[in-house]
Amino acid sequence: VLILPMMISGNVVDSTSSSPIGEFNVIPVKAFSPDWYSTDFQKNSGALGENGKYEIQINSQGESRDRFRVRIEAAGYRTAFGKKSLAAGEPPLTEDFELEPAAPLVGTVVTSDGQLANRFHVAIGTPTTSPSFRFERPDTFFGHAFEITGKSTFEIAASFETQRVRVFNDVGFAELVIPPDQLEIVQVVLETYATHSGRLVQDGQ
C-alpha cells in the first residue's frame, strides 16, 4: 500500500498587526514521542511560505507511527512551533500562526586574551532538535550550524524554547544556554583547549 505524503497548510501573520508575513520558512518536525522531537533542516525537506500562506508536503519515509508538526521561522520574529500534529494516512491538517516580532540575539566572540575572533563555528541545539555534534563537522541536518569568517559577531533568532549554543574554532571553545526570555547575548569568550602530553613506553622502550 502506497502511503501518500502528509499535508499541512495555513496562514502566518504578525501577532501585533495581523499583517501577513511576507516570507518565512516551514520546517517539518518529527515527534517520536510527546517529548522527543527531531527537526529536519535539510534543504529539500522544508517549504517556503509567502504572503502569509504556506503549504508543506511531508514524506513519512514509510513510517506510519511517527507524528509530525511544523516549525515556522521568519527574519525579525520569534520562531514558532506547531501545536497540532498528524501521521501518515491522516487527512490534511490546517494550522495558523501568529508570530511575535523579536530582534535576533547578537553575540561578540573573543579569545581568552581578549582579542576579537574573526573565524569560528556556531552550533545550536534545542529540545525540539536532535543535533549530532563533532568539532570537524557540525551537524547541519538536524540542528543549526554555521561558520563565521571575517567578523567577530554572530546572530541567532529569538526562539520559543531554550537554545544551547556552542561556539568554537581551532583556538578555543565556549558553550552558553539561552532561555526564551533572554534579549541579548553577553560577550562570548573562547576558553583555550586543554592539552595533554606524555611518553608511551613498552618493555622499557
Side-chain angles (χ1 to χ4, degrees):
V1 177
L2 293 178
I3 300 177
L4 296 176
M6 292 162 283
M7 183 77 71
I8 304 177
S9 61
N11 301 308
V12 179
V13 301
D14 184 300
S15 64
T16 58
S17 67
S18 297
S19 299
I21 304 297
E23 187 173 290
F24 53 93
N25 291 314
V26 186
I27 307 164
V29 182
K30 180 185 288 187
F32 297 104
S33 70
D35 296 313
W36 181 16
Y37 300 99
S38 178
T39 303
D40 190 350
F41 291 100
Q42 297 181 84
K43 291 182 179 179
N44 296 328
S45 297
L48 180 66
E50 295 180 303
N51 300 318
K53 296 186 179 297
Y54 75 93
E55 181 177 273
I56 182 172
Q57 286 192 134
I58 303 174
N59 192 327
S60 68
Q61 305 297 333
E63 293 291 336
S64 59
R65 295 171 297 176
D66 297 325
R67 303 194 67 81
F68 289 81
R69 301 187 185 191
V70 291
R71 178 187 186 99
I72 307 294
E73 296 186 345
Y77 291 89
R78 186 178 303 279
T79 298
F81 187 51
K83 294 181 173 62
K84 300 179 181 180
S85 67
L86 83 168
E90 294 183 355
L93 175 67
T94 299
E95 184 169 19
D96 298 332
F97 291 85
E98 294 183 357
L99 299 189
E100 174 192 347
L105 288 79
V106 180
T108 300
V109 182
V110 299
T111 58
S112 59
D113 59 0
Q115 300 298 310
L116 292 173
N118 59 14
R119 182 168 186 167
F120 51 88
H121 281 89
V122 179
I124 306 168
T126 77
T128 61
T129 63
S130 298
S132 61
F133 181 84
R134 293 187 299 179
F135 282 103
E136 68 273 18
R137 188 189 62 78
D139 183 19
T140 57
F141 289 164
F142 300 101
H144 281 305
F146 52 90
E147 183 179 13
I148 296 294
T149 303
K151 63 179 182 179
S152 59
T153 61
F154 69 95
E155 65 178 47
I156 61 176
S159 179
F160 65 92
E161 60 184 340
T162 297
Q163 303 181 87
R164 184 177 294 273
V165 180
R166 289 178 172 177
V167 182
F168 58 94
N169 59 16
D170 294 337
V171 175
F173 173 88
E175 181 173 280
L176 52 154
V177 176
I178 303 175
D181 58 353
Q182 185 167 324
L183 300 180
E184 60 182 8
I185 300 175
V186 297
Q187 190 177 67
V188 179
V189 180
L190 299 179
E191 298 296 339
T192 304
Y193 295 116
T195 59
H196 294 272
S197 62
R199 296 172 61 240
L200 179 62
V201 179
Q202 183 177 11
D203 298 328
Q205 301 297 320

